[in-house]
Amino acid sequence: MKLRVGVVGATGYAGEEILRLLVRHSEVEIASLTAIIDKPSIFSDVFPAFKGIVDIMCTAPDVDDIIKKSDVVFLALPHTVSMQYAPGFLKAGKRVIDLSADYRLDPALYKTWYNHEHADLGNLKTAVYGLPELNKEKIRSARLIANPGCYPTATILAALPMVKNDLVDGEIIVDAKSGVTGAGRKAAIALCFGEVDENLKAYKINEHQHMPEMASILSVAGGKNVSVVFTPHLIPMRRGILSTVYIHLKTALPEQEIIGLYNAAYKQAAFVRVHKPGAYPEIKDVLNTNFCDIGIKVSGKLLIVVSCIDNLLKGAAGQAVQNMNIMYGFDETKGLR
């Protein structure tokens, strides 16, 4: 019997990508599609590429109906909205993979960075941060997955081996550039073609809501406080993230030795690729894949790590499906290669 999957928020960019992955996944059945919409629509009418593939009705979320139809539920909803739905599914014994930030941070940080009181503290305590390269064993038995953010995924994977080996001296500096789909599928002047095309801009400098996620996850992984300075940029592309991460080392180490540490750290990682010396990833290398590609440069005690992902896949939907595969004992790469 196939795993019955429900997607809440199916008409967003991440929701669309989840469906694109699930239709080629042999172990699942798409059982329920819902979104916060004004009127029901056939999914393939919203996204014509799915005509003849996903022709089922997409309706407004009805928690009881989704519970009846689904075994696992993906929540591809805006921040502060997911925690309105997750408790009902969890109480009914369903497993939940949430793509918002609602279960990634402790309550104080969440209130500070999302300007909202957390409304589901009980489930927040049991949520597992869904970065497979860090928490695979916890993910296997999790009932609720907090799927990581896109910028944090690229940054954490770039810094994790250094943090775990206690080689970081001082704060980590992150310069990241993202395509416009990272902001979600919505109407906003700043995201219009005329505003984005042939332009490049920094925004939310050192005050982006993903900063505390990066710092808190790296701090836990390293067993000590890790400080992150973060400058995101919007580039005139649909999708993709390139992060350049600057790490001051406690001790100068040969580049080959550091590359060796990264290769050892990610030897069992299905979707992390570490480049050879002198080779650095580009966004086009990872577009439409679930890979995180990493390139390394050492200059004295300064380590420069270039990390590339597709923000809609390894940064959202692909990582969510990867988590589902781990949770249900499927091949981790199922539907993703």
Side-chain angles (χ1 to χ4, degrees), residues 177-180 189-203 233-237:
K177 297 168 179 66
S178 175
V180 294
I189 290 175
L191 302 177
C192 291
F193 179 83
E195 301 295 321
V196 174
D197 188 44
E198 298 186 49
N199 192 23
L200 171 64
K201 69 175 183 180
Y203 67 101
H233 301 77
L234 185 66
I235 56 176
M237 295 177 62

Side-chain angles (χ1 to χ4, degrees), residues 284-304:
K284 67 179 182 180
D285 300 338
V286 298
L287 284 182
N288 301 304
T289 81
N290 197 52
F291 285 104
C292 175
D293 281 11
I294 291 174
I296 290 165
K297 175 67 176 178
V298 176
S299 180
K301 285 188 175 182
L302 178 63
L303 168 64
I304 304 168

Side-chain angles (χ1 to χ4, degrees), residues 85-96 103 120 123 143-144:
Y85 289 92
F89 300 129
L90 293 166
K91 186 177 181 180
K94 308 302 176 181
R95 299 174 92 171
V96 173
Y103 295 93
D120 188 22
N123 287 314
R143 306 301 304 174
L144 171 60

Side-chain angles (χ1 to χ4, degrees), residues 146-160:
N147 208 63
C150 52
Y151 280 131
T153 295
T155 298
I156 292 168
L157 290 175
L160 193 58

